[in-house]
Amino acid sequence: ERRAKQNRSTLLVALASSQLVTIYQQLGVLDGIAVKWPAPFSDVLRALAVMNFDIRILQVDCVAPAPPLTRFAMRVFLVFALLASIGVIHIVFVLAFHSGKFRKRMPSLIGSTGTIFMSFFLSILSSLASPLQCQQHPNGFS
């Protein structure tokens, strides 16, 4: 497989998708700001909350109310769950289609892991920084 001879349309689609994911994440950061956005823009921000590891979109609190620490832990471990699922898919794929030649297929695992981290960099960073964001207490004392 010669990477230099790959179709350029595949590269274009990959780059455009990467830019789209980055824009979604940047809009997610705007959603985290304590500003009351007007209706059409706030609807778009709510729809794009999936790209920012927002656990509230799954409405887990309807089944079992979770304290803020539990919600934060779920956001952090979502990244590890995603990486674990990539690892399991890679293991099954290598065993099924490449006769268990893990060393030869290791660059594809490293590349896909890097792509996940690159794609969700802003989401991971905002999730990890969320405990440091202070909220105004309703009684006026912080």
Side-chain angles (χ1 to χ4, degrees):
E1 161 184 10
R2 302 250 329 144
R3 293 191 189 271
K5 293 186 178 185
Q6 285 182 343
N7 194 354
R8 291 189 180 166
S9 62
T10 305
L11 179 64
L12 179 64
V13 168
L15 289 174
S17 300
S18 170
Q19 292 295 315
L20 192 61
V21 167
T22 302
I23 289 171
Y24 287 162
Q25 291 174 354
Q26 290 172 346
L27 288 173
V29 169
L30 287 178
D31 187 32
I33 298 173
V35 173
K36 185 167 175 76
W37 299 105
F41 188 64
S42 65
D43 295 339
V44 170
L45 292 179
R46 225 175 300 118
L48 298 177
V50 175
M51 298 297 289
N52 287 312
F53 296 137
D54 192 359
I55 300 297
R56 290 177 297 175
I57 200 163
L58 298 176
Q59 296 182 353
V60 178
D61 287 338
C62 292
V63 177
L69 181 62
T70 305
R71 284 195 302 261
F72 173 72
M74 288 171 54
R75 286 176 74 176
V76 170
F77 288 118
L78 187 63
V79 175
F80 294 114
L82 184 62
L83 291 176
S85 65
I86 288 175
V88 168
I89 291 170
H90 178 75
I91 289 170
V92 170
F93 181 78
V94 170
L95 288 175
F97 297 110
H98 296 285
S99 309
K101 297 177 183 173
F102 289 101
R103 184 173 293 258
K104 185 177 179 183
R105 301 303 303 174
M106 188 59 71
S108 64
L109 177 63
I110 293 171
S112 61
T113 304
T115 301
I116 291 296
F117 274 123
M118 235 171 42
S119 298
F120 293 106
F121 173 72
L122 287 175
S123 298
I124 293 168
L125 190 64
S126 65
S127 292
L128 293 177
S130 64
L132 303 175
Q133 296 174 352
C134 297
Q135 301 291 327
Q136 183 77 19
H137 195 275
N139 68 3
F141 300 112
S142 291

